[in-house]
Structure formats: C-alpha cells, structure tokens
Amino acid sequence: MPDYVPIEEAKRMSGLRLVLTALPGPPWTEAAKAVFHVKRIPYVPVAQRPLVTNQALEEWTGHSNAPIALYDDERARAGWADILFLAERLAPEPALIPVDPQDRVRCFGLAHEICGEDGFGWNRRHLMVRDGLDPAGSGAVSREVADYLGRRYGYGEAAAARAPRRIAEILRVLSAELRAQRGHGRRFLVGEALSAVDLYWAAFASLVEPLPPDLCAMPDWLRHVYTITDASLRAAVDPALLEHRDRIYRDHLELPIDA
Ligand SMILES: N[C@@H](CCC(=O)N[C@@H](CS)C(=O)NCC(=O)O)C(=O)O
C-alpha cells in the first residue's frame, strides 16, 4: 500500500502530490500512476475515498474525485490530459506525447475515447451503475454507490441503453489500430514508441477483465463489477488488446499493482 499522506499534511507540502483512489485497479487512478511511473517522477500519494474524502478534497482542490495532481501552488489538475501535460513538463523524457503531428492527433483521439467523457471508462461505469440500481442486479455495487456515481457522471436510462454500443465501437477502433500497427511491425498503439495511449489502454483494460489476483489484489466485488460478462459485449473484445495490456504492464509498469 502506498504511504498515503493525510490531506491536511499534503496541503502544507510543495512539490507533486497525487490524489489517488485508495483501491488497486481504478483505471483513471492507475492511468495517472502509470504516467508518473514511466517518467520516474516522484510524488506524495494522497488517498481519495469515495464519499468519505469529498468535502476535504473539494475544499483543497475544487475537485473531489480522483486522480488529482497538485504541483506546488499551481492549479489542481483533475483531467487526464491536464495531468499528462503536467507530467510532460516535469519530465520531458521519456516523452509520452508523440512528436509527429499525425501521431499526436491519433494519441489524443484514442486517449479521449478511452478516458474521456462518453469514452470507454465512462460508458463502462454507466453499466456498473445500471447493475447497482437494478433490484435484480448482481448486488456487487451497492444502491448507495450506484446512486452516487450515477448522479456524478450523468447516468440515465438513455445513457445506459447506448453504453454497450459505445463500448463495443471503442473496442473495435482500438483493435483496428493495434492490428494496423502490428501490420507495420510496430509494437505500440500509436507511432514507433510507447505513448500515453498505451498506458491508458493498459489501465482501462481492467474494465474488460482485471489482471489476475496475484498481480492486482482487488476485492472480489470490484473484480466482478469490472469484468465484462455480457456475451455480446465480450465478443467485441479482441484478445490482442488484452495481450497488449499484459505486455505494457510487464515491460513498462509496476507489478503487482500497489494500492
Ligand atoms: N476527472 C477525471 C475522471 C476521473 C474519474 O472519473 N474518477 C472516478 C473514477 S470512477 C472517481 O474518482 N470516482 C469516485 C468518485 O467520484 O468519488 C478525468 O477526466 O480524467
């Protein structure tokens, strides 16, 4: 477990402080950790606990979810792109934003489809909320948490109804990109080198199927919630995408996942 520093103490510190969801596996948190890990940027971890830390984090940063990056007395950064640009500035090498303009466009387009509003993670969350609100659901997500997440992230019946289509189309786009890259003898989702989008996919693939318990010790209920069990949605998952996740973790990230 990271040595989480209490919020009040972190507030008084300078340098980089990173607010992280205090569970192994939440994709937005793991994505931010991956970026700072690859760049070898040290940070002070601060725990976000849904519903528990909201007020204190809101007062400090103006945000209450995770991740949030705070550097010296600069504005708090809560969006994945803002966090990435901060990391690029603090440690330009290894660059995670491609230099080639076409590759940059691809990188940000794909990253938004993975991490952004109405992207893969966002729509997977809608399905978790739907399960939690359904009296006949799996019971893995409590009604309280489903209500809370639903309110925060624009859940509605229409959003839930279209979520599977969005999830499947994003998975197909990622698969097509990966296969096209492989066809050119390239081992990354964009360009010739590791970029942020490989890290984002590695982190968000937990919402297809988390890494096994020895590599990611998440509670069973969370593992259940994260795993795609619906057969038609599962059919949209190209096994090559999970292989890519496994390789990115093996070659570039820290295992087992620590939280
Ligand atoms: N602001 C982030 C999104 C972060 C996000 O959605 N975090 C969620 C992950 S489920 C969270 O912290 N949820 C718990 C909560 O809202 O308390 C971004 O745009 O990159």
Side-chain angles (χ1 to χ4, degrees):
M1 180 137 104
D3 284 331
Y4 292 116
V5 167
I7 293 172
E8 285 309 314
E9 202 178 310
K11 266 174 151 168
R12 293 192 294 271
M13 296 174 142
S14 57
L16 183 64
R17 288 133 302 154
L18 205 53
V19 179
L20 304 166
T21 304
L23 281 171
W28 281 274
T29 280
E30 293 304 328
K33 280 164 65 182
V35 165
F36 290 105
H37 174 78
V38 165
K39 288 177 169 290
R40 306 270 178 262
I41 301 173
Y43 58 83
V44 168
V46 181
Q48 182 250 8
R49 300 181 202 281
L51 289 156
V52 177
T53 47
N54 290 20
Q55 198 183 336
L57 286 177
E58 185 76 48
E59 283 168 13
W60 177 24
T61 70
H63 304 273
S64 55
N65 64 0
I68 311 167
L70 296 118
Y71 184 66
D72 288 343
D73 55 3
E74 296 184 12
R75 69 188 160 86
R77 291 169 169 87
W80 60 269
D82 286 359
I83 294 172
L84 176 62
F85 277 97
L86 173 67
E88 287 283 285
R89 193 185 94 209
L90 297 180
E93 298 295 333
L96 289 175
I97 300 175
V99 173
D100 177 85
Q102 298 289 346
D103 286 346
R104 253 175 110 94
V105 168
R106 278 212 147 74
C107 176
F108 281 102
L110 293 173
H112 195 272
E113 289 295 88
I114 296 170
C115 322
E117 184 153 346
D118 198 29
F120 174 74
W122 192 273
N123 280 283
R124 282 290 290 119
R125 181 165 52 206
H126 283 332
L127 297 187
M128 293 173 202
V129 170
R130 182 173 71 181
D131 182 54
L133 295 178
D134 180 356
S138 71
V141 176
S142 71
R143 171 93 205 190
E144 185 197 15
V145 169
D147 271 334
Y148 164 78
L149 291 176
R151 268 198 314 278
R152 295 198 118 188
Y153 301 105
Y155 178 82
E157 277 177 28
R162 75 186 264 289
R165 184 160 35 88
R166 279 290 289 148
I167 293 166
E169 79 190 7
I170 295 167
L171 288 169
R172 288 199 197 95
V173 165
L174 290 167
S175 158
E177 293 294 321
L178 186 62
R179 288 189 179 272
Q181 284 284 96
R182 283 183 172 184
H184 290 106
R186 296 180 181 154
R187 305 173 70 234
F188 301 98
L189 270 164
V190 170
E192 312 262 2
L194 182 76
S195 74
V197 79
D198 295 297
L199 303 182
Y200 296 153
W201 172 248
F204 279 73
S206 66
L207 297 179
V208 170
E209 182 182 293
L211 287 164
D214 57 323
L215 300 180
C216 180
M218 57 169 55
D220 286 347
W221 67 266
L222 194 60
R223 179 169 295 281
H224 175 83
V225 165
Y226 276 16
T227 305
I228 295 180
T229 48
D230 176 84
S232 59
L233 211 46
R234 194 74 203 191
V237 179
D238 181 344
L241 286 174
L242 293 177
E243 283 163 31
H244 189 65
R245 178 270 301 271
D246 294 349
R247 187 176 71 78
I248 296 296
Y249 264 102
R250 209 173 41 240
D251 293 354
H252 301 280
L253 298 172
E254 248 178 330
L255 285 172
I257 290 176
D258 183 27

